[in-house]
Amino acid sequence: MGETGTSSYVDRVRRLGGPARGWRGLLARDPGEADLARRRFRLGTGPSQAAIETAERAYVSGFNAALTGEPGTIEEMPPDRRPFAYEGAGAACTVLDLLTLARGRRLRDLLGGPAGRHAHAVHLGAGRGYALLRLRPLRGAGRAHPLLRWLAVDGYGFQRGLDGADRMVGERTMPDLLTRAHCATFDQGLGRLLWYHDGACPDGVAAAIAGYPAGRRADLWSGVGFAATHTGGAEPEELSVLAERAGADGFRAHLAQGCAFAAAARVQAGPLDGPHDGPLDGHVARAAPVLAGVAADEAAAWADRALLALGHDPRTHDDFLTWQADIRRFWSRRRRR
């Protein structure tokens, strides 16, 4: 697969003559994009394919809802799909903000509502918005959250991999980003994409990562840990294989850190449904004991404690990377007990 997805989108944007009536319709996403078989991804059958394509369908729905100025309708979706829908809304708001020079106003407004409980997803979506317009998210998500804005580089990596898998996965190229640190976060997003690309197959994902230079594999495993927990698609036995493969590659801690990040995002989102449901039901609760070695709420607590350790007002990219490194230290200490 080439980069036809991004090229097609940019071509449509270039046809805009200004904010004429109906111009937002040119930006709408086709629901058929959620059919990843069209992109020649290695999808299986059953739960893995359903989990991945459900996530992308929710992303497309959220993107189009934000385009029409109705992101509130996302709250009417099933709770387990809302994070992906808000990721789409974050992408749409970023695209609109960039095209209209709104300096991040729509993205901030989105985060000021129910989407604030899904801040991780919204910032990942912001990065996807930058990638759709072929703009590098060098300053994260504009003037949004001072630390989570760096997740936009992760989202950028995911979208670039989605729209250019032949280059990013097949040829293992890296776009021209400013710093080595940006490349690390880009690879976390690309790692999430690999979980989709190889249909949540542990052996397939491990084989794909093995083809990258050693210096990139740690961050790829981190992204895989996030996607395997956040999106799901694998049974506990398959997750055990994934953990074994990451350990054999020397990056078991990075897989656990990605899992903890996903658990923290799920805690922030709140209960799945009614007051009697816990915030970590479903595949997140199943993944954490296998990938992080602890219950999901404890894995999420690692992220919170590591964030507190950064002190007052962390905001730099180094702070973001330190946050992740401290989570890995929590995992290492727990493993030594």
Side-chain angles (χ1 to χ4, degrees), residues 94-134:
T94 298
V95 167
L96 291 173
D97 282 339
L98 291 169
L99 290 176
T100 61
L101 305 179
R103 300 174 66 85
R105 175 181 59 80
R106 293 178 182 84
L107 191 69
R108 292 194 301 274
D109 288 347
L110 179 68
L111 287 165
R117 298 196 304 271
H118 301 273
H120 287 72
V122 171
H123 287 83
L124 289 171
R128 296 183 69 168
Y130 275 94
L132 288 171
L133 296 180
R134 294 182 177 175

Side-chain angles (χ1 to χ4, degrees), residues 102-246:
R103 300 174 66 85
R105 175 181 59 80
R106 293 178 182 84
L107 191 69
R108 292 194 301 274
D109 288 347
L110 179 68
L111 287 165
R117 298 196 304 271
H118 301 273
H120 287 72
V122 171
H123 287 83
L124 289 171
R128 296 183 69 168
Y130 275 94
L132 288 171
L133 296 180
R134 294 182 177 175
L135 297 174
R136 294 179 291 177
L138 302 182
R139 299 181 63 186
R143 298 185 178 185
H145 190 284
L147 190 62
L148 292 183
R149 64 195 174 108
W150 297 109
L151 285 170
V153 183
D154 181 313
Y156 176 83
F158 179 93
Q159 188 67 44
R160 286 295 301 267
L162 183 68
D163 287 333
D166 277 357
R167 295 188 59 214
M168 301 299 160
V169 179
E171 300 174 10
R172 305 175 189 89
T173 58
M174 169 67 74
D176 181 23
L177 298 176
L178 278 185
T179 70
R180 194 170 184 176
H182 281 98
C183 294
T185 307
F186 174 95
D187 274 339
Q188 292 170 27
L190 186 60
R192 290 194 298 120
L193 187 278
L194 289 177
W195 185 249
Y196 285 52
H197 184 272
D198 283 276
C201 171
D203 287 326
V205 169
I209 292 177
Y212 287 84
R216 298 182 63 181
R217 296 206 296 267
D219 296 297
L220 293 170
W221 278 114
S222 174
V224 168
F226 188 101
T229 306
H230 182 61
T231 306
E235 298 298 327
E237 305 79 37
E238 296 171 307
L239 294 171
S240 294
V241 173
L242 186 72
E244 290 173 5
R245 299 293 183 268

Side-chain angles (χ1 to χ4, degrees), residues 46-62:
S48 61
Q49 182 170 350
I52 291 170
E53 294 193 337
T54 294
E56 277 300 284
R57 281 195 296 271
Y59 166 84
V60 171
S61 295

